Each structure stands twice: as C-alpha cells, then as structure tokens.
Amino acid sequence: ETGVTQTPRHLVMGMTNKKSLKCEQHLGHNAMYWYKQSAKKPLELMFVYSLEERVENNSVPSRFSPECPNSSHLFLHLHTLQPEDSALYLCASSQEGAGLNEKLFFGSGTQLSVL
Amino acid sequence: SQELEQSPQSLIVQEGKNLTINCTSSKTLYGLYWYKQKYGEGLIFLMMLQKGGEEKSHEKITAKLDEKKQQSSLHITASQPSHAGIYLCGADGQAGTALIFGKGTTLSVSS
C-alpha cells in the first residue's frame, strides 16, 4: 500500500470510447500529477495540480482531460484515443507541489490499451 | 530542456555480483532521485541526493551524486533476485517544475 491508489489497474478501450482513470491519495498531500510511461521512453509529465489548480500542462492532446475536484482526488478523462496512447498511466502526489526537493509518491498505474 | 541519460539500458548479473548504474544530466542537478519499478507497476522511492559528493545507503544499495559531473551512480552490492526491476533516476526540473526522469535501467539477477 503506497498511499496512492489508482483504478482501474487495466483498461482496454476502443478509439471511440470514453473512459476515466481515477487516482486517490491518502497522504494529505497538496499536489497531484499524471505521468505517461511508454516503452523505451522516459516518463512523460502530463499534468500537475497544486491545491486543486492546474499548474503545469505539457502540451498534452485535448483527448486527455484532467480533473481535480479536491486535493485527494485526480481524474484523467479519455475520449477518442489513438492506439499510440496505449501506455502505463501513473498518478503521483507530493507534499506541496512542483518545487525543489519534492519527493513523489506513485500509484501502481493503469495499463491502458487502445484498440 | 533538461535530459537524463541512464546507462546501461539493461543489465543481467549473476546473484551475488556487484553492479553499477549511472545517470547523467544535461544540466546542473539540484536534486537527484532514485526510484525502483517492478514491470507494469508504480515507482518506489529509494533515495534522494542533493549535495555534490553526497552518498547515501539503504541496505545493499548505495547512491552517490557527483555534482561537478552532473552524474549520479547507483551501486548494488552482492545482488539478489529481489533487486531485479527497473531503476529510474529523476531530477528536479528547472524553475521548480515537476520531476523529469531517465528511460530507466532494467536489471535482471540470475540465481
């Protein structure tokens, strides 16, 4: 138990589907993150939220839509995805947010396959 | 933008052998983090290094930061099957942005 829970663990979806990934942190942290991990590539930062406000958005396609209703929950809404979006999506949290020396705590990830 | 280069990409060692993984940054390192990942799962924090010359150890894993070379090394002594996994280095991005990561080093330990 890492303190950061992601659901579902695995997801298979068609290109026309709409689905959502959920992340919940039980650590009392103020910042939450979405990273994408594809084979043979570094982890790609997608979104950062600090105190429920989006503070970083790294040119992510609009078919990915984040939502942070409170500091404990983070969602990633998916629609009309492409096969190249298949990857492991990792959620993380940190005490404050995107500052120096901020250790990240990761969830177990959602393995997404787009058919 | 800052990039982290890890070497080697993958490594197979016999149980009981020592090994070293390197992480080199294209820019000055302000904070360097080592994480371990089991395939298809989340990252587990191992160590954080901040100062040049700093060295930290946890059980049989030692990490060192050489600030001048913009490099960190992770050394495992007397490797065991439980050490197998993907080791990733991460660094504080510039201007307080979120961590960036290297591609990872996949370690296999044969018994």
Side-chain angles (χ1 to χ4, degrees):
Chain A
E1 175 60 48
T2 64
V4 180
T5 305
Q6 287 188 243
T7 53
R9 287 297 312 275
H10 302 273
L11 179 62
V12 180
M13 59 187 289
M15 288 191 283
T16 58
N17 292 158
K18 287 185 182 181
K19 296 285 183 184
S20 295
L21 308 185
K22 179 183 175 183
C23 178
E24 183 175 359
Q25 58 97 0
H26 319 275
L27 300 169
H29 288 168
N30 291 324
M32 297 186 78
Y33 309 72
W34 279 117
Y35 280 89
K36 175 185 177 184
Q37 187 177 33
S38 305
K40 311 220 172 179
K41 287 187 179 180
L43 266 73
E44 299 171 51
L45 177 66
M46 300 177 74
F47 301 103
V48 182
Y49 278 83
S50 182
L51 295 171
E52 299 136 54
E53 276 193 35
R54 193 189 307 181
V55 295
E56 201 165 332
N57 174 358
N58 280 13
S59 303
V60 178
S62 59
R63 56 186 184 268
F64 294 92
S65 174
E67 180 190 359
C68 188
N70 55 62
S71 58
S72 299
H73 293 87
L74 184 66
F75 295 90
L76 188 62
H77 303 300
L78 317 170
H79 66 98
T80 58
L81 293 192
Q82 304 297 311
E84 61 264 28
D85 295 323
S86 299
L88 181 68
Y89 288 83
L90 291 161
C91 173
S93 69
S94 68
Q95 185 66 50
E96 295 301 330
L100 293 179
N101 306 320
E102 277 282 290
K103 184 169 79 174
L104 298 181
F105 293 78
F106 283 85
S108 298
T110 294
Q111 187 67 55
L112 173 67
S113 297
V114 182
L115 306 177
Chain B
S1 60
Q2 186 174 15
E3 290 184 357
L4 297 177
E5 183 83 27
Q6 284 189 239
S7 62
Q9 225 176 342
S10 63
L11 193 54
I12 303 173
V13 299
Q14 201 169 18
E15 184 176 355
K17 297 293 186 185
N18 303 337
L19 64 108
T20 299
I21 298 169
N22 292 304
C23 175
T24 303
S25 172
S26 60
K27 297 188 179 180
T28 301
L29 287 165
Y30 294 102
L32 190 287
Y33 304 74
W34 284 101
Y35 285 84
K36 181 185 174 185
Q37 183 183 28
K38 294 281 188 185
Y39 182 75
E41 297 188 7
L43 281 65
I44 305 297
F45 173 79
L46 294 175
M47 276 172 273
M48 180 177 82
L49 303 165
Q50 295 175 253
K51 300 174 185 174
E54 186 176 12
E55 183 173 314
K56 286 187 178 177
S57 294
H58 176 68
E59 297 179 344
K60 294 185 178 178
I61 301 176
T62 301
K64 186 187 286 189
L65 176 62
D66 183 338
E67 199 171 289
K68 286 186 179 178
K69 291 185 177 179
Q70 301 178 179
Q71 186 176 61
S72 177
S73 58
L74 184 86
H75 185 78
I76 299 178
T77 304
S79 58
Q80 299 169 2
S82 61
H83 288 127
I86 304 168
Y87 290 83
L88 296 101
C89 63
D92 289 312
Q94 291 183 313
T97 56
L99 290 189
I100 61 168
F101 289 88
K103 291 183 182 179
T105 294
T106 301
L107 172 64
S108 302
V109 180
S110 60
S111 53

